[in-house]
Amino acid sequence: MKVLLTGATGLLGGALVRLMVREGHEVRCLLRPESPNASRLDRLVEVAHGDAGDAGSLSEALRGMDAMLHTAGIEYAAQVTEALRSAGVERLVAVSSTSAHSSYPARSGPKLDAETVVRGSGLSWTVVRPAMIYGSELDKNLHRLLRFLDRSPVFPVFGSGENLWQPVYYEDLARGTLEALTRPEAVGETYDLPGAEPLTYAELVRTAAAALGRSPRLLRVPLEPVRRALRLAEAVRIPLPVASEQVLRLREDKAYPHEKACRELGYEPRPFEEGIVLEVARLRELGMVRS
Ligand SMILES: NC(=O)c1ccc[n+]([C@@H]2O[C@H](COP(=O)([O-])OP(=O)(O)OC[C@H]3O[C@@H](n4cnc5c(N)ncnc54)[C@H](OP(=O)(O)O)[C@@H]3O)[C@@H](O)[C@H]2O)c1
């Protein structure tokens, strides 16, 4: 299949490039001219310059393609669907996020609105929703946690630590996303793509620490005073690195059943304890952890 891929210099996009090239797909990557990450692209893939926010450049990049795999932000749904229609390309897989399930509207609203644009596009669409992604040298989520655990005998846990998480290993997510593209029965469907099982945040931290051979003391920090202080700062317009709603979201369970993806896409994500061992091995090889 000839596929235009957006976000190829990113975590998920990079894994998709490797997987698709290995499986014989022809991949054209949409690259922003100002991207500082062009060197990450495999020399074997074709590159088209453009921006996901610019339907004209997308439409140009779509010439001769069978499909588009859009990982560069569901917020560009309007431009992406407009470009597909004007290029006469029917098939779209759009990557959204499981944050579409959040009960906090500021978090879920933009994702749901963009998904609605995809569903109403008249195209042969599929929406996939990754949970928190981890793995690879581009990991922005768990590498920081592993490096902290590597250095500290104490780990602060905001709130009870009992809320659920279900992070997905990047290669498992890439496999699920590619299956969503290639299976005809996925057209018109939305799939949650989380990790194998939910685990509490405290379990997640302990499992990550065990992979490093460490057993830190978890120090529980009550959430409510932190949130109240942030609310107060917001009320008097003090600029903050985190919003009070983000703190509230720490209490929200992020667990997502994925039987539908297992059944219809053959989705088989690995357990967290396996994926995190691979990440610790990667960080050791890079000399980024000592344990
Ligand atoms: N990471 C997570 O935990 C997570 C969880 C749930 C959902 N998601 C969603 O999954 C998708 C992939 O996430 P990721 O972590 O792999 O992303 P990432 O590593 O941050 O990479 C983002 C990619 O999108 C490209 N991009 C951004 N804006 C663009 C634009 N206007 N035009 C063209 N390209 C643009 C970037 O290119 P440059 O090289 O130019 O920067 C980069 O290749 C995203 O839609 C994200 O919202 C991520």
Side-chain angles (χ1 to χ4, degrees), residues 182-205:
T182 53
R183 294 191 185 215
E185 59 271 33
V187 171
E189 301 292 342
T190 299
Y191 297 98
D192 288 326
L193 298 179
E197 298 285 345
L199 64 172
T200 67
Y201 188 66
E203 283 166 349
L204 183 150
V205 171

Side-chain angles (χ1 to χ4, degrees), residues 116-129:
T116 302
V117 171
V118 171
R119 292 189 191 102
S121 63
L123 299 164
S124 297
W125 59 268
T126 304
V127 170
V128 297
R129 293 169 165 173

Side-chain angles (χ1 to χ4, degrees), residues 6-14 30-38 40 50-54 58 70-76 95-99 107 111 128-134 138 140-141 168 173:
T6 66
T9 55
L11 199 174
L12 171 59
L30 184 93
L31 183 71
R32 286 195 277 196
E34 72 276 17
S35 170
N37 308 312
R40 288 185 192 154
D51 193 296
D54 170 25
L58 284 176
H70 176 56
T71 79
I74 189 78
E75 65 271 25
Y76 299 113
V95 177
S96 177
S97 167
T98 48
S99 56
R107 188 80 184 151
K111 304 288 179 205
V128 297
R129 293 169 165 173
M132 182 175 84
I133 311 168
Y134 73 101
L138 300 183
K140 294 183 264 324
N141 294 313
V168 59
L173 173 63

